[in-house]
Amino acid sequence: MIVASWLIFDAWRQEDPALRNSHWMAQQTVRLASEPAHMLEREAATRESLEAALADSALLGMALFGHGRAHAVFGSDGREALDAENLRLVGARWVHALACLCGLELAPASAALVDLFVGYRIALVVEWEIEALPIELQERLATLVTATTLALLSGLRAKADLQRHASAAADEIVEWLLQNAEEGAYLGLHVLAETLVDRMVTSR
């Protein structure tokens, strides 16, 4: 039985730099959330574990961190963890997929099956070394990558509201970069800030 009302699915492979940064984003979500999440991480982040968790009616929503393609979010084992075949198990819950490309097919496919699916229609640029970023920038990045999940957790569902929260966090990063970074530095963070606002896709 799951005690928490929401879930974090956190795919992981030690040798994968993108998943290390995705894991950092999941950790920041745990740190900044107002309530604890049920965690599926490392070897537990698989299709079977996710489907088992979705059998619990106490679960109201979930945030997915990992590799994505248009049709699926992938688990730690490299297999599809959430796709069109098991979307029906999500039911009347919210989903935020911080994974590449899921807004192209998975979000539209979920429209009649879930409460709300939030994804992105292009690849997410997560190419940074977190330890190399200034602390002030790390904190702003944490706020950016958690903004939409925390807004969903607070009860917001309208795309405009979600984008507004993400946009406020994106503006903080861009302003800091303009004031503190050399021109051309941290281009990937500029792109990510834009992506998490302008390339957001919702199922309704």
Side-chain angles (χ1 to χ4, degrees):
M1 177 69 68
I2 295 174
V3 176
S5 67
W6 68 297
L7 177 148
I8 286 180
F9 182 92
D10 178 16
W12 171 263
R13 286 198 300 275
Q14 177 64 40
E15 70 281 5
D16 189 325
L19 287 185
R20 288 202 297 272
N21 285 334
S22 177
H23 175 64
W24 180 84
M25 293 191 289
Q27 289 179 314
Q28 300 312 301
T29 306
V30 171
R31 177 174 70 89
L32 295 175
S34 59
E35 57 184 273
H38 178 69
M39 300 296 297
L40 293 178
E41 54 187 340
R42 297 186 182 270
E43 66 275 2
T46 64
R47 185 185 189 94
E48 291 77 14
S49 296
L50 181 59
E51 291 181 351
L54 290 172
D56 195 309
S57 60
L59 198 67
L60 303 179
M62 59 181 179
L64 308 174
F65 299 85
H67 284 301
R69 295 181 188 166
H71 73 289
V73 178
F74 289 77
S76 297
D77 55 5
R79 297 184 298 126
E80 289 94 337
L82 185 68
D83 58 20
E85 296 300 317
N86 61 0
L87 262 177
R88 58 181 174 75
L89 300 178
V90 176
R93 300 179 172 104
W94 58 265
V95 180
H96 183 206
L98 264 163
C100 295
L101 301 170
C102 293
L104 291 175
E105 295 178 15
L106 198 56
S110 71
L113 301 172
V114 310
D115 176 38
L116 182 68
F117 190 107
V118 182
Y120 303 91
R121 63 177 183 264
I122 65 172
L124 303 183
V125 177
V126 291
E127 299 172 357
W128 62 75
E129 292 289 340
I130 193 63
E131 297 83 1
L133 300 181
I135 294 298
E136 298 89 346
L137 186 53
Q138 289 185 33
E139 284 300 319
R140 285 164 175 78
L141 180 57
T143 300
L144 172 67
V145 300
T146 62
T148 297
T149 297
L150 299 186
L152 288 163
L153 190 59
S154 75
L156 296 180
R157 296 292 182 269
K159 181 179 180 180
D161 291 334
L162 299 175
Q163 285 182 309
R164 184 168 62 252
H165 276 257
S167 181
D171 289 347
E172 288 288 328
I173 279 199
V174 172
E175 181 179 353
W176 189 94
L177 291 172
L178 290 174
Q179 293 179 358
N180 298 280
E182 295 182 6
E183 186 175 354
Y186 306 116
L187 287 177
L189 296 186
H190 277 280
V191 173
L192 182 65
E194 176 185 341
T195 298
L196 295 185
V197 180
D198 297 336
R199 305 304 179 94
M200 180 188 293
V201 175
T202 62
S203 57
R204 59 175 172 85

